[in-house]
Amino acid sequence: MNNTFNFNRFFNLIRTEILINKKLYAILSLIVLFCISFGYYLIRQHDVMPTDAYASSIFNIILLLVFVAPLVFYINLYDSKKDVQRAMLPASQFEKLLSAIVQVSVLLPLLLFAIYVVSLTILSWINLPNLNINYSYHLENMFYNVQLQSFLFLAVFFFKNNKIIKIIITGIAIIVCFILLISLLGFILTQSQLKYIAQLNIRIDTKELMSIKIIWCILVPLLPWSLSYLKFRRTQI
């Protein structure tokens, strides 16, 4: 496509991809509803956990589902047989990648979070009056989760074949490198230097901290998303 971005074409693309991915949206939504229902059953019948722990467990499941969404939605990316429908959509590579970001990083988190809020609100009205949920705190965690998800998004768009195996190997390699780096820093820095760093009292104004969080939430995903576009633009089925 010569035209990189056209709003009407992009809107039609999102609508088409929602129809393509409707089964995935339904399956992930049903998983959340099942976990909510099953957890509620365990609480009412067996009292296996406090209500706050129940709500946190459900939300952690949602975070996991959102995190793995790029792999679930685009596991067949670059596959000449399984991904023909998406590849033939009348849109530019930029629009297709932007639509993918909207699907897994905006629409799905909003859908699952809405199911979570509505379901637990209804349960709190019916039989769980002690259920107290800090929705703003959960929403903030969702933003951080989307940032982390952007790196899996990059891996899905970067690797052409055997995505799962390559992602696992890459993840293990990153963890090992991180542990080695921390160990190296601990070896280089003396115990007194580590105590001095720990005792540093850095005061940051609340407004400054909020500004830093907003900038962080915006800038962190931009790098993997941009790299994903560069890779996607060069890779054709």
Side-chain angles (χ1 to χ4, degrees):
M1 306 291 293
N2 294 326
N3 191 1
T4 303
F5 185 83
N6 178 275
F7 181 79
N8 291 330
R9 189 174 61 207
F10 177 65
F11 179 78
N12 291 331
L13 174 64
I14 290 180
R15 185 172 57 184
T16 303
E17 286 221 359
I18 290 175
L19 294 176
I20 293 175
N21 297 321
K22 61 183 179 182
K23 289 184 179 180
L24 295 176
Y25 282 113
I27 291 172
L28 295 177
S29 299
L30 288 174
I31 290 174
V32 173
L33 288 172
F34 171 78
C35 292
I36 292 173
S37 302
F38 185 66
Y40 176 72
Y41 166 77
L42 292 178
I43 288 178
R44 298 300 298 174
Q45 298 298 323
H46 304 287
D47 195 23
V48 295
M49 68 178 78
T51 54
D52 291 344
Y54 158 68
S56 298
S57 300
I58 300 301
F59 187 73
N60 288 333
I61 292 172
I62 292 175
L63 291 179
L64 178 62
L65 293 176
V66 170
F67 174 73
V68 300
L71 190 59
V72 174
F73 278 63
Y74 299 99
I75 184 67
N76 294 320
L77 187 70
Y78 307 131
D79 191 308
S80 59
K81 295 180 179 179
K82 298 179 181 179
D83 201 45
V84 174
Q85 185 178 8
R86 182 177 287 109
M88 297 302 293
L89 291 174
S92 66
Q93 297 293 83
F94 177 74
E95 290 167 338
K96 290 179 181 178
L97 182 122
L98 194 59
S99 176
I101 294 172
V102 170
Q103 301 289 319
V104 301
S105 302
V106 179
L107 296 182
L108 181 67
L110 287 176
L111 173 63
L112 299 186
F113 189 73
I115 293 173
Y116 175 77
V117 171
V118 172
S119 300
L120 266 64
T121 300
I122 293 174
L123 290 179
S124 67
W125 290 343
I126 299 174
N127 281 319
L128 298 177
N130 296 325
L131 183 61
N132 296 315
I133 305 170
N134 189 340
Y135 291 118
S136 60
Y137 174 75
H138 285 334
L139 190 60
E140 183 178 357
N141 284 334
M142 182 64 78
F143 276 115
Y144 292 136
N145 189 54
V146 168
Q147 294 176 46
L148 188 62
Q149 180 214 64
S150 66
F151 292 95
L152 180 61
F153 186 94
L154 170 61
V156 170
F157 275 74
F158 186 82
F159 297 124
K160 192 171 183 179
N161 302 310
N162 303 316
K163 294 181 188 294
I164 296 178
I165 296 175
K166 292 178 180 178
I167 288 172
I168 292 174
I169 294 174
T170 303
I172 293 173
I174 291 173
I175 292 173
V176 170
C177 290
F178 180 76
I179 293 174
L180 290 176
L181 178 62
I182 296 298
S183 301
L184 182 61
L185 288 175
F187 178 77
I188 293 175
L189 297 175
T190 62
Q191 188 173 2
S192 60
Q193 289 173 323
L194 291 174
K195 287 183 178 179
Y196 173 75
I197 294 173
Q199 292 173 355
L200 286 176
N201 186 15
I202 302 175
R203 295 183 179 180
I204 301 177
D205 184 74
T206 305
K207 293 182 178 180
E208 292 178 351
L209 182 61
M210 182 59 65
S211 300
I212 292 172
K213 284 185 176 181
I214 293 173
I215 294 173
W216 180 265
C217 289
I218 294 174
L219 291 183
V220 169
L222 281 181
L223 176 60
W225 287 342
S226 299
L227 293 175
S228 299
Y229 171 65
L230 294 176
K231 176 65 176 180
F232 187 51
R233 188 178 62 179
R234 293 187 174 93
T235 306
Q236 303 289 337
I237 291 181

